[in-house]
Amino acid sequence: MNKGLFITFEGADGSGKTTQLNLIKNFLEEKGFEVVVTREPGALDLGKKIREILLHYDGVVADRCELFLFLADRAQHVETFIKPNIEQGKIVLCDRHTDSTVAYQGYGRGQDVKLLKDLNKLAVNNLTPDLTLLFDVSTEVAQQRVGNEKDRMEAIGLEFHKKVRNGYLELQKENPERIKLINANNSIETVFEDTKNIIINLIEEK
Ligand code: TMP
């Protein structure tokens, strides 16, 4: 492998994707790869400020304002962090990326999905993940895992989160090559095996 890789981790709040991301980071580092872990929203200084508004602002946030804040964070993140790291040959593992916007702001909030896909393109300026892992879990299980301390997005309610889940599944059907579905109802160990196998296949192909 002589070029870096960009792998995104997607799924509901409470799907266990962040746990898996950290397990994969350790696994890849043990194999000798240079790995960078990051997230959206809010990986970098400016992004952290945007994240604070998005997840903790307690006044009214208009849907389109929310959308543009996620996109602004992404544009900055791609330009100043993700692209340079891929160019340096690293494996970039990103907790949420473009599919989150389509699932949450599109399918969840009901904004125009096609328009959102175009706005995502503008934000990422020709970057597509080499692989996206979709951790799918029933909405009820996911909500239980999240518990009672919910941020602004987690607190929206069951119906919203069901629409988000369906949105993700639609995206996976549309992009079966890029987006791999993982049953995240299973144990952490089983999910890790599934995740690891998909990533090993990708690395062997490159
Ligand atoms: P997390 O970092 O704990 O996953 O929280 C981020 C929240 O923001 C999560 O509820 C998903 C949501 N989100 C969107 O609604 N749209 C987006 O584009 C992104 C990146 C996240």
Side-chain angles (χ1 to χ4, degrees):
M1 212 176 78
N2 49 19
K3 181 184 157 287
L5 283 178
F6 181 37
I7 304 175
T8 59
F9 288 61
E10 295 279 1
D13 304 278
S15 62
K17 64 185 168 41
T18 310
T19 304
Q20 295 298 327
L21 188 152
N22 289 318
L23 291 170
I24 290 296
K25 172 188 187 278
N26 294 341
F27 168 75
L28 290 172
E29 282 179 346
E30 278 164 19
K31 296 265 170 229
F33 291 101
E34 252 195 288
V35 184
V36 171
V37 165
T38 191
R39 72 171 178 192
E40 292 181 6
L44 305 166
D45 287 355
L46 186 153
K48 282 183 189 156
K49 295 196 170 144
I50 299 178
R51 182 182 176 91
E52 180 59 29
I53 301 171
L54 278 165
L55 300 190
H56 302 294
Y57 181 71
D58 61 4
V60 175
V61 182
D63 284 358
R64 272 174 291 179
C65 172
E66 178 184 287
L67 167 68
F68 281 109
L69 288 171
F70 280 115
L71 293 169
D73 168 70
R74 180 160 308 131
Q76 175 80 357
H77 188 212
V78 166
E79 211 57 41
T80 65
F81 190 80
I82 299 178
K83 280 188 179 171
N85 276 291
I86 299 171
E87 277 155 20
Q88 286 167 27
K90 295 179 190 158
I91 300 182
V92 178
L93 305 180
C94 189
D95 197 339
R96 298 193 180 283
H97 188 59
T98 45
D99 300 311
S100 283
T101 303
V102 179
Y104 282 77
Q105 280 64 53
Y107 287 92
R109 294 283 195 209
Q111 299 190 71
D112 183 334
V113 165
K114 182 174 176 313
L115 180 62
L116 263 53
K117 289 179 183 170
D118 287 340
L119 289 169
N120 261 331
K121 280 190 197 153
L122 182 69
V124 301
N125 195 13
N126 291 323
L127 177 74
T128 309
D130 296 287
L131 171 70
T132 296
L133 299 158
L134 172 56
F135 295 89
D136 180 58
V137 65
S138 83
T139 306
E140 287 77 7
V141 170
Q143 292 278 292
Q144 267 172 14
R145 288 185 187 164
V146 167
N148 290 331
E149 292 235 334
K150 294 185 167 68
D151 62 38
R152 199 180 66 85
M153 299 302 296
E154 288 164 347
I156 299 173
L158 199 64
E159 279 316 303
F160 171 82
H161 287 282
K162 284 189 174 165
K163 288 187 207 160
V164 170
R165 180 186 184 198
N166 288 337
Y168 270 129
L169 293 173
E170 276 301 314
L171 279 170
Q172 196 277 326
K173 278 191 218 136
E174 285 168 21
N175 304 276
E177 283 302 310
R178 172 175 67 86
I179 307 180
K180 302 296 178 203
L181 187 64
I182 294 175
N183 183 349
N185 293 290
N186 291 329
S187 68
I188 291 182
E189 294 75 18
T190 306
V191 176
F192 179 52
E193 279 305 307
D194 294 345
T195 310
K196 204 168 66 177
N197 288 336
I198 294 170
I199 290 184
I200 290 170
N201 280 344
L202 173 73
I203 291 174
E204 282 173 356
E205 273 170 22
K206 293 276 162 186

